[in-house]
Amino acid sequence: MRRITLTQYLIEQQRASGSVTSELRLLIEVVARACKAISHAVGKGALADVLGGAGSDNVQGEAQKKLDLISNEILIEANEWGGHLAAMVSEEMERPHVMPDTGRKGGFLLLVDPLDGSSNIDVNVSIGTIFSVLRSPPEGGAPDEKAFMQPGSKQVAAGFAVYGPQTILVLTVGNGTVGFTLDREIGSFVMTQPNIRIPADTAEYAINSSNARNWDVPVKRYIDECLAGKAGVRGKDFNTRWIASMVADVYRIITRGGIFMYPRDAKYKDGRLRLMYEANPMAMIVEQAGGAATDGKTRILDIQPTALHQRTGVVLGSKNEVERVASYFS
Ligand code: AHG
Ligand code: MN
Ligand code: MN
């Protein structure tokens, strides 16, 4: 079978559509290279003394792990060198990081969750990197927070890497969702999933059920109906999966279907996951693969952001199940 690399895929997209410019293509390659470096650090683990806490908190008061900070540094360094960004937002930084003005300041904004699934780092369970690309508004000067306040529908590219048994890169440039596996011998991401499609139906759901007492009525109803199995209104048995790394849960869903839920609840009134660098990129990837993504009431990609680190409820995956949950909310 003839397999193409990430570089070849991007060049082919550029030739075919014109929507992938050379600058966007080079930016995605810089991010992919950073993911390779993060994958390498993750793979070393205790051998490189990268496990454990960093002894600091991020802007949302969450304890940072050493690998959260290492991954953030790798992404900054790669993109400062790359020169395709005007600024970058990260879960690990309170304010946008404006790129040094070396004369190579680029036309894009990058938003990243440098390492997703921090609670899984030290226990050798899959973790990953999530990224979203927006155009930098044309107004002159260094981009401020306002420049980032664009709904997810404006993303020009979105992707995530999973550092698991294999290192995988999932990507969309708005023309379907594709997947690459890192070939460690040749050092390239090689296309292994040329056309990812999420089955519309599923019998697998992902939710942290330790929050059950806090759920809203629609969520309770949906999960109760799943739990009732064959004898209940759904007429079939369901299975639970919760990895606690969104990258790994979403990767499973784009591979074999499923629904992922981190809804707003009585404890997480605004939701738990971040809109700009978790929900938005995952929503674009899932929609481009034929799935759906909502906060319960609004399509994730239509939400107008008002803050860099704002949270949202998330329900995404197999279309028919997501629509069912949305119908319970309305
Ligand atoms: P992060 O490690 O970047 O803070 O994100 C973790 C997120 C997400 O990956 C996962 O789905 C969720 O938090 C897990 O939450 P619980 O610990 O509540 O299960
Ligand atoms: Mn995360
Ligand atoms: Mn993170």
Side-chain angles (χ1 to χ4, degrees), residues 62 91-92 113-118 128 130 244-247 272-274 277-278:
E62 297 159 342
E91 182 190 2
E92 309 306 339
D113 178 352
L115 205 59
D116 174 68
S118 300
I130 311 175
S245 292
M246 190 190 201
V247 285
R272 159 93 157 83
L273 299 174
R274 275 57 53 111
Y277 41 80
E278 290 179 320

mmCIF file of all heavy atoms in Angstrom, residues 62 91-92 113-118 128 130 244-247 272-274 277-278, ligand 2:
data_model
loop_
_atom_site.group_PDB
_atom_site.id
_atom_site.type_symbol
_atom_site.label_atom_id
_atom_site.label_comp_id
_atom_site.label_asym_id
_atom_site.label_seq_id
_atom_site.Cartn_x
_atom_site.Cartn_y
_atom_site.Cartn_z
ATOM 1 N N GLU A 62 -4.896 24.941 38.717
ATOM 2 C CA GLU A 62 -4.614 23.508 38.662
ATOM 3 C C GLU A 62 -3.109 23.290 38.787
ATOM 4 O O GLU A 62 -2.317 24.008 38.174
ATOM 5 C CB GLU A 62 -5.124 22.923 37.335
ATOM 6 C CG GLU A 62 -6.633 23.037 37.179
ATOM 7 C CD GLU A 62 -7.097 22.946 35.721
ATOM 8 O OE1 GLU A 62 -6.282 23.139 34.812
ATOM 9 O OE2 GLU A 62 -8.301 22.709 35.521
ATOM 10 N N GLU A 91 -3.036 26.664 27.688
ATOM 11 C CA GLU A 91 -3.611 26.371 28.998
ATOM 12 C C GLU A 91 -2.650 26.757 30.120
ATOM 13 O O GLU A 91 -3.082 27.138 31.208
ATOM 14 C CB GLU A 91 -3.921 24.863 29.098
ATOM 15 C CG GLU A 91 -4.576 24.481 30.412
ATOM 16 C CD GLU A 91 -4.679 22.977 30.634
ATOM 17 O OE1 GLU A 91 -4.214 22.193 29.801
ATOM 18 O OE2 GLU A 91 -5.240 22.598 31.670
ATOM 19 N N GLU A 92 -1.371 26.683 29.839
ATOM 20 C CA GLU A 92 -0.372 26.891 30.895
ATOM 21 C C GLU A 92 0.084 28.337 31.031
ATOM 22 O O GLU A 92 0.986 28.628 31.814
ATOM 23 C CB GLU A 92 0.837 25.975 30.665
ATOM 24 C CG GLU A 92 0.495 24.506 30.451
ATOM 25 C CD GLU A 92 -0.367 23.897 31.567
ATOM 26 O OE1 GLU A 92 -0.387 24.450 32.686
ATOM 27 O OE2 GLU A 92 -1.029 22.874 31.307
ATOM 28 N N ASP A 113 -3.555 23.101 24.142
ATOM 29 C CA ASP A 113 -3.477 22.392 25.410
ATOM 30 C C ASP A 113 -2.220 21.538 25.252
ATOM 31 O O ASP A 113 -2.246 20.505 24.592
ATOM 32 C CB ASP A 113 -4.736 21.514 25.593
ATOM 33 C CG ASP A 113 -4.688 20.709 26.885
ATOM 34 O OD1 ASP A 113 -3.630 20.704 27.548
ATOM 35 O OD2 ASP A 113 -5.713 20.085 27.219
ATOM 36 N N PRO A 114 -1.072 22.021 25.801
ATOM 37 C CA PRO A 114 0.209 21.374 25.501
ATOM 38 C C PRO A 114 0.216 19.898 25.883
ATOM 39 O O PRO A 114 0.761 19.073 25.163
ATOM 40 C CB PRO A 114 1.216 22.155 26.351
ATOM 41 C CG PRO A 114 0.546 23.451 26.666
ATOM 42 C CD PRO A 114 -0.919 23.177 26.707
ATOM 43 N N LEU A 115 -0.384 19.603 27.053
ATOM 44 C CA LEU A 115 -0.464 18.203 27.467
ATOM 45 C C LEU A 115 -1.827 17.973 28.090
ATOM 46 O O LEU A 115 -2.151 18.540 29.130
ATOM 47 C CB LEU A 115 0.660 17.859 28.450
ATOM 48 C CG LEU A 115 1.009 16.381 28.441
ATOM 49 C CD1 LEU A 115 1.442 15.932 27.054
ATOM 50 C CD2 LEU A 115 2.122 16.092 29.420
ATOM 51 N N ASP A 116 -2.638 17.194 27.411
ATOM 52 C CA ASP A 116 -3.980 16.890 27.882
ATOM 53 C C ASP A 116 -3.970 15.543 28.591
ATOM 54 O O ASP A 116 -3.356 14.590 28.110
ATOM 55 C CB ASP A 116 -4.948 16.852 26.695
ATOM 56 C CG ASP A 116 -6.330 16.405 27.120
ATOM 57 O OD1 ASP A 116 -6.986 17.167 27.846
ATOM 58 O OD2 ASP A 116 -6.747 15.298 26.741
ATOM 59 N N GLY A 117 -4.649 15.510 29.728
ATOM 60 C CA GLY A 117 -4.730 14.263 30.495
ATOM 61 C C GLY A 117 -3.662 14.193 31.572
ATOM 62 O O GLY A 117 -3.119 13.127 31.869
ATOM 63 N N SER A 118 -3.382 15.366 32.170
ATOM 64 C CA SER A 118 -2.262 15.450 33.128
ATOM 65 C C SER A 118 -2.323 14.406 34.238
ATOM 66 O O SER A 118 -1.282 13.944 34.713
ATOM 67 C CB SER A 118 -2.225 16.833 33.761
ATOM 68 O OG SER A 118 -2.061 17.787 32.758
ATOM 69 N N GLY A 128 -1.885 13.564 25.540
ATOM 70 C CA GLY A 128 -1.716 14.133 24.200
ATOM 71 C C GLY A 128 -1.611 15.640 24.176
ATOM 72 O O GLY A 128 -1.531 16.297 25.214
ATOM 73 N N ILE A 130 -3.398 19.109 22.168
ATOM 74 C CA ILE A 130 -4.519 19.562 21.333
ATOM 75 C C ILE A 130 -4.181 20.954 20.792
ATOM 76 O O ILE A 130 -3.648 21.789 21.539
ATOM 77 C CB ILE A 130 -5.835 19.641 22.150
ATOM 78 C CG1 ILE A 130 -6.058 18.351 22.954
ATOM 79 C CG2 ILE A 130 -7.023 19.910 21.229
ATOM 80 C CD1 ILE A 130 -7.284 18.410 23.878
ATOM 81 N N ALA A 244 -10.176 9.574 30.991
ATOM 82 C CA ALA A 244 -9.775 10.807 31.687
ATOM 83 C C ALA A 244 -8.642 11.532 30.976
ATOM 84 O O ALA A 244 -7.962 12.368 31.560
ATOM 85 C CB ALA A 244 -9.447 10.570 33.161
ATOM 86 N N SER A 245 -8.390 11.175 29.719
ATOM 87 C CA SER A 245 -7.610 12.002 28.797
ATOM 88 C C SER A 245 -8.544 12.226 27.615
ATOM 89 O O SER A 245 -8.879 11.276 26.900
ATOM 90 C CB SER A 245 -6.369 11.279 28.262
ATOM 91 O OG SER A 245 -5.424 11.053 29.269
ATOM 92 N N MET A 246 -8.957 13.474 27.404
ATOM 93 C CA MET A 246 -9.890 13.741 26.311
ATOM 94 C C MET A 246 -9.328 13.250 24.979
ATOM 95 O O MET A 246 -10.051 12.711 24.137
ATOM 96 C CB MET A 246 -10.170 15.240 26.246
ATOM 97 C CG MET A 246 -11.309 15.597 25.319
ATOM 98 S SD MET A 246 -11.413 17.363 25.070
ATOM 99 C CE MET A 246 -13.101 17.521 24.534
ATOM 100 N N VAL A 247 -8.019 13.423 24.784
ATOM 101 C CA VAL A 247 -7.418 12.984 23.519
ATOM 102 C C VAL A 247 -7.644 11.492 23.281
ATOM 103 O O VAL A 247 -7.946 11.072 22.160
ATOM 104 C CB VAL A 247 -5.893 13.280 23.453
ATOM 105 C CG1 VAL A 247 -5.630 14.748 23.211
ATOM 106 C CG2 VAL A 247 -5.174 12.789 24.696
ATOM 107 N N ARG A 272 -16.267 21.977 32.574
ATOM 108 C CA ARG A 272 -14.934 21.669 33.084
ATOM 109 C C ARG A 272 -13.871 21.909 32.013
ATOM 110 O O ARG A 272 -12.784 22.386 32.286
ATOM 111 C CB ARG A 272 -14.925 20.200 33.525
ATOM 112 C CG ARG A 272 -13.601 19.523 33.615
ATOM 113 C CD ARG A 272 -13.045 19.626 35.014
ATOM 114 N NE ARG A 272 -12.080 18.579 35.280
ATOM 115 C CZ ARG A 272 -10.796 18.599 34.935
ATOM 116 N NH1 ARG A 272 -10.318 19.618 34.266
ATOM 117 N NH2 ARG A 272 -9.998 17.605 35.238
ATOM 118 N N LEU A 273 -14.210 21.591 30.769
ATOM 119 C CA LEU A 273 -13.221 21.671 29.696
ATOM 120 C C LEU A 273 -13.171 23.078 29.117
ATOM 121 O O LEU A 273 -14.154 23.825 29.182
ATOM 122 C CB LEU A 273 -13.548 20.650 28.610
ATOM 123 C CG LEU A 273 -13.524 19.199 29.109
ATOM 124 C CD1 LEU A 273 -14.002 18.245 28.032
ATOM 125 C CD2 LEU A 273 -12.121 18.802 29.575
ATOM 126 N N ARG A 274 -12.030 23.430 28.552
ATOM 127 C CA ARG A 274 -11.828 24.759 28.026
ATOM 128 C C ARG A 274 -12.302 24.840 26.566
ATOM 129 O O ARG A 274 -12.025 23.949 25.759
ATOM 130 C CB ARG A 274 -10.348 25.167 28.130
ATOM 131 C CG ARG A 274 -9.952 25.757 29.468
ATOM 132 C CD ARG A 274 -10.200 24.904 30.690
ATOM 133 N NE ARG A 274 -9.630 23.573 30.629
ATOM 134 C CZ ARG A 274 -8.609 23.148 31.366
ATOM 135 N NH1 ARG A 274 -8.059 23.936 32.237
ATOM 136 N NH2 ARG A 274 -8.181 21.913 31.265
ATOM 137 N N TYR A 277 -9.163 25.709 23.498
ATOM 138 C CA TYR A 277 -8.093 24.782 23.112
ATOM 139 C C TYR A 277 -8.420 23.334 23.453
ATOM 140 O O TYR A 277 -7.556 22.475 23.346
ATOM 141 C CB TYR A 277 -6.734 25.225 23.698
ATOM 142 C CG TYR A 277 -6.799 25.734 25.127
ATOM 143 C CD1 TYR A 277 -6.845 24.854 26.195
ATOM 144 C CD2 TYR A 277 -6.819 27.107 25.397
ATOM 145 C CE1 TYR A 277 -6.892 25.322 27.499
ATOM 146 C CE2 TYR A 277 -6.880 27.584 26.700
ATOM 147 C CZ TYR A 277 -6.912 26.681 27.745
ATOM 148 O OH TYR A 277 -6.977 27.146 29.037
ATOM 149 N N GLU A 278 -9.655 23.071 23.892
ATOM 150 C CA GLU A 278 -10.078 21.671 24.045
ATOM 151 C C GLU A 278 -11.349 21.435 23.208
ATOM 152 O O GLU A 278 -11.360 20.646 22.268
ATOM 153 C CB GLU A 278 -10.316 21.327 25.526
ATOM 154 C CG GLU A 278 -9.015 21.276 26.326
ATOM 155 C CD GLU A 278 -9.178 20.963 27.809
ATOM 156 O OE1 GLU A 278 -10.117 21.468 28.451
ATOM 157 O OE2 GLU A 278 -8.332 20.225 28.354
HETATM 158 MN MN MN B 2 -6.836 19.154 28.658
#
